[in-house]
Amino acid sequence: MNLLQSLIDASSLGAVYALAALGIGLTFSIMRLINFAHGELIMIGGYTLYLSASQPYLVMGLAAILVVTVLALGMERVAFRPLRRASPATLLIASFAVSFLLQHVAMMIFGARPVAIDFLSPLNQSLEIGSLRVPWLQLLALAVTLILLAGLSSFFRWTAIGIQMRAAAEDFTMARLVGIPANRVIAAAFAISGTLASIVSVYMVAQTGGASYKMGVNMVLFAFVASVIGGMGSLAGAALGGFLVGVVSVLLQTYLPEGMRLYRDAFVFGLFIAFLLWRPQGLLVKASDRERV
């Protein structure tokens, strides 16, 4: 029964990692940009919930989604569009610069200490089934993730902009040559990425009851690991990697000796290095990438 409890906890955590990894994988698949400023989108969502704390929960959540999505679009227009033809290394440095800038602006405005937020606190109560105790928030996180994965799959398969994004992810240069509008496709990728980041921030604030200027740092790091494990550029791989990282993290937290649980993240990253030595291309490889090998 303890194993079943651990698997339930791992699934909910993996669902959140999957959403964060999808946000990173989406921009990478089109622009070859590893956007470490994605963590600051999560942070902005948290502070938006803080500023709208006097409003109903629904209004707070919608405000966070709207603000973060608009900020993601602004980030693409101001910071990354002028560097679109630059090398991936330049784009990576730019993402770090945007990340540190937003962190320090938030620290100047809100201070370095975490702020408390009462958001969806009733969902922290647990559903008890025998000896199993499952917080409603975990069930909601898993359900929302599955719905979003199904929705994104349909979006990429059946909508015009979704098909254009898939084409751009396969070969961006060729997609532009056949008339696919680059600005619209990249803006759509950032908008979806921002929406996913806002949903992650909603979960994190509901779980922890607070926000801080560093709240997105660890999340984006684990999301990046999940993206690499799944296969950079593969959205299905990003989701799969997110669930795997969540499962490994929870199982290590559960079954490591008590004195070693403090070093759980070190074990996670150690396993990550071992995985890359075995399969550096990740679990799922796009057909276009496989042809280049």
Side-chain angles (χ1 to χ4, degrees), residues 5 9 123-127 133-140:
Q5 180 73 63
D9 295 340
L123 291 180
N124 286 307
Q125 298 179 2
S126 297
L127 171 67
R133 299 180 70 252
V134 185
W136 288 103
L137 184 61
Q138 290 186 0
L139 294 176
L140 180 63

Side-chain angles (χ1 to χ4, degrees), residues 6-157:
S6 297
L7 290 176
I8 293 173
D9 295 340
S11 297
S12 63
L13 180 61
V16 180
Y17 284 156
L19 291 181
L22 276 172
I24 291 178
L26 191 58
T27 53
F28 179 84
S29 65
I30 295 176
M31 289 186 65
R32 294 301 182 264
L33 164 66
I34 302 173
N35 186 16
F36 280 99
H38 189 78
E40 279 53 61
L41 295 177
I42 296 173
M43 173 197 73
I44 295 298
Y47 281 123
T48 302
L49 293 172
Y50 172 69
L51 293 175
S52 58
S54 61
Q55 303 298 318
Y57 289 154
L58 179 60
V59 175
M60 293 172 65
L62 292 176
I65 293 173
L66 178 62
V67 170
V68 175
T69 302
V70 170
L71 179 65
L73 288 170
M75 183 186 295
E76 184 276 327
R77 182 66 181 87
V78 175
F80 297 120
R81 187 175 296 186
L83 300 174
R84 187 173 297 168
R85 297 182 183 275
S87 67
T90 302
L91 289 170
L92 179 63
I93 293 171
S95 78
F96 276 117
V98 173
S99 173
F100 285 120
L101 173 63
L102 292 177
Q103 279 188 36
H104 284 80
V105 169
M107 188 165 55
M108 290 170 58
I109 296 174
F110 299 100
R113 294 182 177 180
V115 295
I117 307 169
D118 178 17
F119 182 69
L120 296 179
S121 53
L123 291 180
N124 286 307
Q125 298 179 2
S126 297
L127 171 67
E128 296 188 7
I129 305 175
S131 61
L132 292 177
R133 299 180 70 252
V134 185
W136 288 103
L137 184 61
Q138 290 186 0
L139 294 176
L140 180 63
L142 187 58
V144 168
T145 298
L146 294 177
I147 291 171
L148 286 174
L149 289 176
L152 284 174
S153 177
S154 299
F155 173 80
F156 289 125
R157 184 178 297 272

Side-chain angles (χ1 to χ4, degrees), residues 102-226:
L102 292 177
Q103 279 188 36
H104 284 80
V105 169
M107 188 165 55
M108 290 170 58
I109 296 174
F110 299 100
R113 294 182 177 180
V115 295
I117 307 169
D118 178 17
F119 182 69
L120 296 179
S121 53
L123 291 180
N124 286 307
Q125 298 179 2
S126 297
L127 171 67
E128 296 188 7
I129 305 175
S131 61
L132 292 177
R133 299 180 70 252
V134 185
W136 288 103
L137 184 61
Q138 290 186 0
L139 294 176
L140 180 63
L142 187 58
V144 168
T145 298
L146 294 177
I147 291 171
L148 286 174
L149 289 176
L152 284 174
S153 177
S154 299
F155 173 80
F156 289 125
R157 184 178 297 272
W158 302 112
T159 67
I161 186 64
I163 294 172
Q164 291 172 356
M165 291 173 70
R166 286 170 54 201
E170 289 295 327
D171 191 328
F172 186 73
T173 301
M174 182 59 68
R176 294 189 66 181
L177 290 176
V178 298
I180 290 178
N183 289 342
R184 186 171 67 177
V185 166
I186 293 175
F190 270 86
I192 296 173
S193 177
T195 301
L196 294 174
S198 67
I199 295 172
V200 172
S201 69
V202 163
Y203 173 83
M204 292 180 67
V205 170
Q207 184 185 49
T208 63
S212 74
Y213 75 99
K214 286 187 175 181
M215 65 180 290
V217 174
N218 283 340
M219 178 59 69
V220 81
L221 185 59
F222 277 99
F224 172 68
V225 169

